Amino acid sequence: MTDTSNSQTDVRSEDSHIVRPWQDVTALGQDEATVLEGSSGIYVKDSEGNNLIDGPGGMWCVNVGHGRREIIDAVVNQMEELSYFSPWTMSAPITTKLAERMASIAPGDLNNVFFTTGGSTAVDSALRFVFFYNNCLGRPEKKQIISRVNGYHGSTYLSSSVSGKKSEKAHMDMAKGLGHFISSPKPKDRPKGMSVEDFGDMLIAELEAKILEVGADKIGAFIAEPVMGSGGVIVPPEGYFKRCHEICKKYDILFIADEVVTSFGRLGYYFASEDVFGVVPDMITTAKGMTSGYLPMGALLISDRLINDINASTNEYRAFTSGFTYSGHPASAACAMANLDIFEDSKLLEHARDIAPYFAEAMKSLNDLPVVTDVRVVGLMAGVECELDAGNPDEDRDCAFAAKVDEACQTLGLLVRPIYNSCVMSPPLTITKPQIDKMVSILRAGIVKAAAEE
């Protein structure tokens, strides 16, 4: 029997054996999490029986809303028929159909679907494909990756190494010499007196300068979220994404669009790269809204051009020796197929585009609050940045304030996702105008309540 006489088990909470992502391990069992026991539509129900609007949509992912019977039935039916197959040597009709469907809605020639377990493994696979691609083409030195400060790309060793949220790397090891970081494209933080247009020019010049500094012959890829999600909903200057793509083409650098957050309707389209930002990337990573979070699944979409380049380089065996036990899992594939059926049958993309202006106007109405210093909105994702004293920035103070807003809002019936000093909203795409009004009203009240306690 384990000796616990000197442990903290006497103060542990009920879920004391769970180590949650990003948890302070020195306080295991002492910081209680909100316990959810039910969900329906845009609402979740906590263990006290309170209905809460799911403001963050889970983790940017519950796009079709909670409790969709169509998805539940599809998964059960698939598991009764076939619960698993080995993706190394077998296939299944449901997974084949999903791959065909994904290719049909993907932009350009991104017709090759590599299934993963989620967003992090999709990004990890994209980076490994960059290495594989350049090895096949006889360019073993072309492996460096350019990313951005405050960009987030996942929690695997490779994906975290190219993530730019530096505060989260303090006690973690990263791949040395792999990632090279350029500035976050956050207009609010541009140099004083600089126009947004000039800021955009500065960012593009910085990207080109970084390529010339490292050497185009050393850089394998540039990876970027069309909109930085976990960076606090950072919406770049107009034309930025497209101009980055043009620079990459100029220097023969692969362009990876990390659409784990922005795909499957968050910006009103299946994929935002082309339809919103005018870019057909070399690779796209996706997850989250692909199954609306009902089951784990992700994918890496690879262009025909890259596959053709490898085929043209050699007649020898070239295996992309990467994969996962649950790649293309049949139950997850059934979930994704049913999710896509809901998108089509309910015209959810059209609804998201139609309601987005109303959502933006409602969120921006919070600009009149003294502590709100920036409201960033695109599609159905928003970040409300708060500063208690804008003239005297204090990151720790303002991040703590955003956490207080979350606490206040929960008592009023709304889940908020605090990211740094921003309150993030990415509700299910099924949300209605009255529900938006209620969500924003509660968020306003929560901000006011938290500010009054300072």
Side-chain angles (χ1 to χ4, degrees):
M1 180 178 293
T2 303
D3 180 7
T4 59
S5 58
N6 294 319
S7 72
Q8 299 176 332
T9 53
D10 57 318
V11 295
R12 280 180 177 254
S13 61
E14 290 183 2
D15 62 352
S16 61
H17 299 288
I18 297 175
V19 181
R20 294 191 298 276
W22 269 252
Q23 186 170 12
D24 176 7
V25 299
T26 68
L28 287 180
Q30 299 176 56
D31 53 339
E32 295 189 10
T34 299
V35 177
L36 300 181
E37 295 185 344
S39 61
S40 179
I42 71 161
Y43 290 91
V44 292
K45 181 179 290 186
D46 68 18
S47 56
E48 303 299 317
N50 301 306
N51 284 316
L52 309 169
I53 296 174
D54 187 2
M59 286 279 287
W60 320 93
C61 59
V62 189
N63 291 5
V64 300
H66 295 274
R68 297 302 294 250
R69 192 74 240 172
E70 307 97 306
I71 294 178
I72 297 166
D73 289 343
V75 170
V76 171
N77 291 339
Q78 179 57 50
M79 294 186 78
E80 288 176 342
E81 184 176 293
L82 175 68
S83 59
Y84 179 77
F85 69 91
S86 168
W88 267 255
T89 57
M90 306 290 173
S91 185
I94 189 67
T95 304
T96 299
K97 290 175 183 176
L98 177 60
E100 292 173 351
R101 198 167 183 180
M102 293 276 288
S104 72
I105 61 177
D109 67 340
L110 278 81
N111 295 312
N112 307 282
V113 184
F114 181 80
F115 288 114
T116 68
T117 57
S120 294
T121 49
V123 171
D124 192 277
S125 300
L127 298 175
R128 295 196 73 195
F129 195 87
V130 171
F131 306 156
F132 170 70
Y133 173 79
N134 282 304
N135 286 338
C136 289
L137 268 61
R139 307 186 302 192
E141 300 299 317
K142 199 170 173 61
K143 304 286 178 63
Q144 306 294 296
I145 308 297
I146 295 181
S147 185
R148 285 98 52 84
V149 171
N150 282 342
Y152 179 74
H153 301 292
S155 292
T156 65
Y157 186 66
L158 282 179
S159 63
S160 62
S161 294
V162 301
S163 293
K165 299 180 73 175
K166 297 185 184 302
S167 63
E168 296 170 2
K169 298 183 175 186
H171 304 290
M172 303 291 285
D173 289 352
M174 302 293 153
K176 304 296 183 183
L178 174 66
H180 302 269
F181 297 92
I182 57 175
S183 299
S184 165
K186 182 179 179 183
K188 179 178 180 290
D189 292 346
R190 66 188 184 276
K192 188 175 181 180
M194 178 180 285
S195 69
V196 174
E197 291 76 14
D198 288 344
F199 178 57
D201 291 341
M202 184 192 81
L203 293 170
I204 299 304
E206 181 187 11
L207 171 59
E208 187 159 22
K210 178 62 70 175
I211 292 171
L212 295 175
E213 173 194 333
V214 178
D217 60 327
K218 300 291 192 298
I219 299 170
F222 172 68
I223 185 169
E225 305 154 90
V227 176
M228 284 184 175
S230 292
V233 187
I234 306 304
V235 185
E238 184 75 24
Y240 166 83
F241 204 62
K242 188 171 184 178
R243 293 175 71 187
C244 286
H245 183 239
E246 291 168 352
I247 290 290
C248 288
K249 286 196 295 183
K250 176 180 176 181
Y251 290 100
D252 190 22
I253 292 168
L254 299 184
F255 191 98
I256 305 170
D258 183 348
E259 289 222 44
V260 169
V261 170
T262 57
S263 56
F264 291 96
R266 184 54 53 191
L267 300 191
Y269 298 90
Y270 284 124
F271 297 97
S273 292
E274 182 176 31
D275 288 318
V276 180
F277 297 98
V279 170
V280 177
D282 295 298
M283 289 184 272
I284 289 178
T285 57
T286 184
K288 295 189 183 293
M290 182 176 169
T291 62
S292 284
Y294 280 62
L295 283 178
M297 195 176 213
L300 165 63
L301 307 182
I302 306 167
S303 73
D304 287 340
R305 180 180 75 84
L306 302 190
I307 301 298
N308 292 338
D309 285 349
I310 294 172
N311 289 338
S313 69
T314 180
N315 291 320
E316 297 179 4
Y317 177 80
R318 289 289 185 268
F320 180 48
T321 51
S322 182
F324 309 94
T325 300
Y326 304 111
S327 292
H329 192 282
S332 294
C335 177
M337 288 288 280
N339 184 59
L340 283 168
D341 287 344
I342 292 172
F343 269 91
E344 293 182 6
D345 295 343
S346 62
K347 299 188 183 301
L348 194 53
L349 294 178
E350 292 87 339
H351 171 75
R353 293 197 295 269
D354 289 345
I355 207 167
Y358 190 88
F359 176 74
E361 183 179 0
M363 295 301 304
K364 289 180 179 179
S365 71
L366 299 171
N367 270 316
D368 67 343
L369 295 175
V371 297
V372 173
T373 54
D374 195 25
V375 178
R376 300 177 291 273
V377 191
V378 59
L380 288 181
M381 58 191 299
V384 180
E385 188 165 336
C386 299
E387 296 175 277
L388 289 171
D389 183 356
N392 296 285
D394 186 319
E395 184 176 351
D396 291 340
R397 176 199 67 201
D398 294 334
C399 288
F401 178 75
K404 287 182 180 179
V405 173
D406 177 35
E407 293 176 9
C409 285
Q410 282 202 42
T411 66
L412 299 170
L414 171 67
L415 293 182
V416 173
R417 187 179 180 202
I419 297 180
Y420 299 131
N421 62 328
S422 293
C423 303
V424 165
M425 297 281 102
S426 57
L429 308 183
T430 56
I431 196 167
T432 63
K433 289 181 179 179
Q435 290 171 336
I436 289 173
D437 292 340
K438 184 175 182 180
M439 182 183 74
V440 174
S441 175
I442 295 174
L443 180 55
R444 172 181 289 275
I447 294 172
V448 170
K449 181 179 180 181
E453 295 172 355
E454 292 293 327

